[in-house]
Amino acid sequence: MTELAHAHPSGGYILEELHVGMAAEKIVDVTEDRIRLFAEASDDFNPVHLDEAYAARTAYRGRIAHGLLSAAFGSAVVGTILPGAGSIYVSQTLAFHFPVRIGNQVRIRITVIAVDPESARVELNCEGFAADKLVMDGIAVVRVPRRRKPQNR
């Protein structure tokens, strides 16, 4: 059974609070600004992302968002909702199935599929959908804190 998790009041779940089936979602708009900012941040200025005239002559028949931009939306869920603050990526597999375009909304769904108490790691199924079509998926391994830091008083 899948249980939709919401941001934990502390900012992040600890290992002992996580269980298989927990899931979280976030919807993100793909905008011109996001694509340009991602190009700046990643130094990826491939014209298929930035130049409509160039992109119109490709198999995609127009501009598409960087695949790793959509993957970064998954990172946002992992870092802010599930598991949340304090979680650290160890690895990530990714497969891209369809292009994402300016104006699309991407719905990211992260689901806990395994919890390893010994290594303090969880495996997460990561999926991205645009118009209810699976556009990307993969498995992330994330290290999660075992206990909360005491609050400074």
Side-chain angles (χ1 to χ4, degrees):
M1 181 178 126
T2 300
E3 164 196 338
L4 199 56
H6 300 284
H8 195 279
S10 72
Y13 291 87
I14 59 172
L15 183 70
E16 294 77 13
E17 295 169 329
L18 297 170
H19 58 82
V20 172
M22 289 177 78
E25 291 187 352
K26 180 179 184 78
I27 296 174
V28 182
D29 293 320
V30 177
T31 65
E32 173 75 32
D33 284 345
R34 284 185 192 273
I35 290 173
R36 289 205 178 278
L37 288 168
F38 190 83
E40 289 288 334
S42 66
D43 211 27
D44 179 355
F45 296 98
N46 183 334
V48 77
H49 306 306
L50 301 168
D51 182 335
E52 186 60 45
Y54 175 90
R57 296 187 310 269
T58 69
Y60 298 107
R61 305 279 188 253
R63 290 173 57 200
I64 60 172
H66 301 75
L68 290 179
L69 175 60
S70 295
F73 300 154
S75 177
V77 176
V78 170
T80 64
I81 304 172
L82 183 69
S87 59
I88 302 294
Y89 263 94
V90 174
S91 66
Q92 171 78 57
T93 63
L94 284 172
F96 299 100
H97 307 291
F98 293 99
V100 173
R101 300 182 185 278
I102 295 171
N104 284 158
Q105 283 191 324
V106 176
R107 179 173 52 92
I108 298 294
R109 184 173 183 84
I110 303 295
T111 306
V112 177
I113 58 174
V115 178
D116 182 353
E118 286 192 31
S119 67
R121 294 178 180 188
V122 295
E123 283 188 32
L124 306 169
N125 187 49
C126 307
E127 299 171 302
F129 301 88
D132 293 325
K133 184 186 285 189
L134 182 69
V135 294
M136 63 162 224
D137 62 355
I139 303 295
V141 176
V142 177
R143 191 171 192 300
V144 181
R146 292 182 190 270
R147 60 187 65 81
R148 296 189 205 299
K149 283 185 164 182
Q151 300 254 342
N152 292 337
R153 298 196 192 256

